[in-house]
Amino acid sequence: MTGNIAILGYGLSAIGPGIGVGLIFAAYINGVARQPEARGMLQPIAFLGMAITEALAIFGIALAFVFKA
Amino acid sequence: MSLVSAAPSEYTAPGVEEFWQPLFGTDGPWAITRPMFLIVISVGLIIWYLLATTRKKALVPSRGQMATEAVYGLVRNGIAKDLIGSKEFMRFVPLLFSLFMIILVNNFFGVMPPFSYPTMSRIGFPIALSLIVWVVFHVVGMKKHGFFGYWKSLVPSGLPKGMILPIFFLELITDLFTRPVTLALRLFGNMFAGHILIVLFITGGWYMLTNGGILVIAGGVTWVFALVMTLFELLVEFLQAYVFTLLAALYIGGAIADEH
Amino acid sequence: MQASFVFAEGGEEGFWATAAPIIPHPLEFFFGLATFALLYFVVKAKVVPRLEQIYAERTAAIEGGMNKAEEAQAQAQAALEQYQAQLVEARAEASRIREDAKAQGAQIIAEMREQAAADASRITETAHKQIEAERQQAVVSLRGDVGRMSTELASRIVGESLEDEARQRGIVERFLAELESGDVVREKVGDA
């Protein structure tokens, strides 16, 4: 079996952010379902949280390409 | 590279070289490539469409004008007004609207038959857009708070003394490095991965179909999956344009907010 | 897909074909900047002002329409109030007229009753007077008759004429008076 171990690394780095983003949007949906009028306030927080959490996975894919060579 | 015409005995998965398509000129850093051509077409299309549908300024809009107004309303009210605040958002609406349109149309090129190439899967374009957003939100923040005031506003007030320096560096890294890099890489990564996935399904399906035997059925199933993936890709393409514009508005709004 | 392979086969495999995809191609980067700048300026100069104008006009039109509707509603409300006021007035007038009629009716009845009572009493009185007059007449004629008959009877018995008017009158009158007062006692004529 041949392949690139960097891709394995990317897969590992995607686990945490995957769970994190899921948790963020679960909380966001919960909040909006409970208080629909709070949507405007929650939305930027949710997306900012998503951007920060997802950063790790995005660094993962970048580094996977960097170390592929 | 030439997967289809290659001998069917061995299958090579599509890779990075799939995205390198120079049209003419050299093979080097100044080659004219296919995505350049596409982005010029997309900008031409967008400008033509926007000007054509808004020329009449009808109060009761035609179908084209209604579509333009729907997208404009989404960016203006759903993104800019909500995230920047109703006082200053009008300054940034042209920027955000342009960003949304150029990303949306170029993303849709990824699954549109005559183009079939997502421009944003070449990292140069997302980096250019992120750089513009990065410069804009730092500049407006510095204009609003002053040069030193802006850096000071990165740290939330009311922190204990020992926390100020670590938080400051953390915020500095986020603002200067993480935000623009993730903004560009998110768009690039989604488009790149989505396109490579579709290419994989189609070329893989073709390989199985041409190699015959029991694999023909699997090839057909794979092509069905390619179609499903294409539809899924449409959703992702819209979502990425939306998220990019939303985050740009969020960063700008954060930079000019009174409380950071 | 086919087209992309045709394009791709033109270029030789160099550094850029296999380079990591996160290395930006410089010309692509500049193309991105330039085309976005072009789009931005067109959008800023033309598209957004037009769309904002449409927005403003539409808002104005909708507000104007709403104002018109509000005006119409106010007018309708005023008309309704006017009608209601008129209705109330009419009702009041009707009840006033009814009251008046009732009062007038009562007055008329009272008057009639009074008149009837007056009539009745007048008739009664007349009847009384008539009866009285007839009685008086009867008394007078009876008295005359009784006097004459008793005188005649007495003169026959006595055999002497009691024609003397003055005496006759005096005796009869005295007798009748005694009779009325009850002083007369029955006595035998022979004893007298």
Side-chain angles (χ1 to χ4, degrees):
Chain A
M1 190 172 162
T2 57
N4 196 319
I5 198 144
I7 294 300
L8 205 62
Y10 170 63
L12 287 175
S13 80
I15 295 171
I19 296 170
V21 171
L23 285 176
I24 287 169
F25 279 99
Y28 171 64
I29 292 165
N30 242 324
V32 174
R34 276 163 199 254
Q35 261 178 297
E37 69 274 10
R39 176 191 218 113
M41 216 172 71
L42 292 178
Q43 198 187 33
I45 302 172
F47 274 92
L48 198 61
M50 182 211 77
I52 290 170
T53 315
E54 212 186 35
L56 296 171
I58 289 168
F59 288 150
I61 201 172
L63 291 178
F65 282 119
V66 168
F67 292 118
K68 189 182 174 183
Chain B
M1 189 63 238
S2 34
L3 296 166
V4 178
S5 51
S9 54
E10 201 169 334
Y11 176 70
T12 24
V16 178
E17 54 303 332
E18 187 67 32
F19 292 87
W20 177 244
Q21 299 179 5
L23 291 181
F24 42 82
T26 64
D27 199 21
W30 306 109
I32 304 289
T33 59
R34 190 153 164 245
M36 293 181 201
F37 187 58
L38 288 179
I39 201 164
V40 171
I41 291 176
S42 74
V43 167
L45 275 177
I46 295 168
I47 289 176
W48 167 78
Y49 184 78
L50 290 181
L51 290 183
T53 52
T54 57
R55 192 184 304 122
K56 276 191 208 150
K57 301 182 210 165
L59 284 189
V60 181
S62 61
R63 189 171 297 184
Q65 190 185 330
M66 215 178 320
T68 309
E69 278 183 32
V71 177
Y72 181 69
L74 173 75
V75 175
R76 181 186 188 270
N77 299 329
I79 297 178
K81 202 174 183 179
D82 279 4
L83 297 177
I84 300 180
S86 49
K87 267 187 293 183
E88 296 185 84
F89 78 100
M90 267 323 292
R91 276 200 288 159
F92 304 105
V93 166
L95 175 73
L96 296 172
F97 188 50
S98 312
L99 276 175
F100 186 75
M101 286 307 289
I102 200 170
I103 296 171
L104 188 72
V105 170
N106 277 295
N107 283 356
F108 280 158
F109 277 1
V111 292
M112 259 195 253
F115 308 106
S116 291
Y117 188 106
T119 318
M120 295 297 160
S121 64
R122 293 294 294 176
I123 188 95
F125 301 106
I127 282 184
L129 300 181
S130 308
L131 186 74
I132 290 165
V133 172
W134 185 75
V135 169
V136 165
F137 84 78
H138 280 300
V139 167
V140 295
M142 284 176 199
K143 262 190 190 166
K144 170 112 182 180
H145 298 284
F147 183 77
F148 291 105
Y150 177 67
W151 299 117
K152 232 187 263 173
S153 75
L154 290 181
V155 184
S157 53
L159 278 182
K161 281 249 155 54
M163 294 284 285
I164 290 177
L165 211 61
I167 291 286
F168 175 71
F169 277 113
L170 206 63
E171 288 283 345
L172 200 64
I173 292 167
T174 306
D175 262 34
L176 289 181
F177 177 70
T178 314
R179 282 180 174 185
V181 167
T182 54
L183 202 58
L185 281 176
R186 178 179 301 111
L187 182 56
F188 152 77
N190 275 287
M191 289 306 105
F192 181 85
H195 190 62
I196 217 165
L197 212 59
I198 290 177
V199 173
L200 178 72
F201 270 103
I202 289 173
T203 56
W206 177 251
Y207 173 80
M208 287 191 246
L209 281 174
T210 50
N211 271 22
I214 192 82
L215 284 177
V216 170
I217 301 160
V221 173
T222 311
W223 272 19
V224 171
F225 263 91
L227 191 69
V228 173
M229 286 307 297
T230 305
L231 295 178
F232 178 67
E233 203 53 24
L234 270 172
L235 176 71
V236 170
E237 281 157 359
F238 170 78
L239 216 60
Q240 285 309 313
Y242 180 72
V243 165
F244 191 100
T245 317
L246 189 90
L247 287 174
L250 199 62
Y251 296 156
I252 292 170
I256 62 171
D258 295 325
E259 289 275 322
H260 197 72
Chain C
M1 279 300 103
Q2 201 60 44
S4 71
F5 297 128
V6 174
F7 281 128
E9 268 154 353
E12 323 100 81
E13 310 270 313
F15 165 75
W16 289 102
T18 50
I22 55 162
I23 300 172
H25 186 265
L27 196 59
E28 283 177 352
F29 172 72
F30 290 123
F31 250 74
L33 280 182
T35 49
F36 181 75
L38 174 68
L39 177 65
Y40 175 71
F41 286 117
V42 172
V43 166
K44 189 181 169 129
K46 284 269 181 190
V47 178
V48 169
R50 281 182 185 179
L51 283 166
E52 283 301 317
Q53 194 188 337
I54 293 169
Y55 255 62
E57 276 174 14
R58 185 165 302 151
T59 312
I62 288 168
E63 272 176 6
M66 272 161 74
N67 282 347
K68 214 177 274 176
E70 268 172 21
E71 211 170 286
Q73 205 172 5
Q75 274 177 1
Q77 187 69 27
L80 185 68
E81 272 167 17
Q82 201 180 335
Y83 287 146
Q84 272 175 350
Q86 279 177 0
L87 196 64
V88 166
E89 207 174 300
R91 267 199 198 127
E93 201 173 335
S95 73
R96 194 160 45 74
I97 287 167
R98 210 179 300 134
E99 289 290 317
D100 282 2
K102 220 181 264 177
Q104 276 179 2
Q107 200 182 340
I108 287 166
I109 288 167
E111 272 174 14
M112 300 255 282
R113 193 170 286 158
E114 211 169 286
Q115 206 179 336
D119 280 359
S121 68
R122 191 167 42 78
I123 289 164
T124 316
E125 204 175 323
T126 316
H128 275 303
K129 275 180 186 162
Q130 209 171 341
I131 291 166
E132 183 67 20
E134 276 171 8
R135 197 178 64 92
Q136 206 73 37
Q137 205 180 340
V139 166
V140 170
S141 86
L142 207 62
R143 192 167 284 182
D145 284 355
V146 167
R148 197 169 33 81
M149 276 162 68
S150 54
T151 317
E152 201 180 299
L153 196 62
S155 60
R156 260 194 217 161
I157 294 165
V158 177
E160 152 191 17
S161 176
L162 292 175
E163 296 297 315
D164 187 350
E165 282 288 318
R167 276 183 71 184
Q168 185 186 12
R169 182 164 308 232
I171 292 165
V172 171
E173 286 298 316
R174 188 162 40 88
F175 175 73
L176 282 178
E178 278 171 6
L179 199 67
E180 273 174 10
S181 66
D183 283 345
V184 169
V185 285
R186 197 173 294 253
E187 42 191 339
K188 269 184 175 171
V189 178
D191 289 346

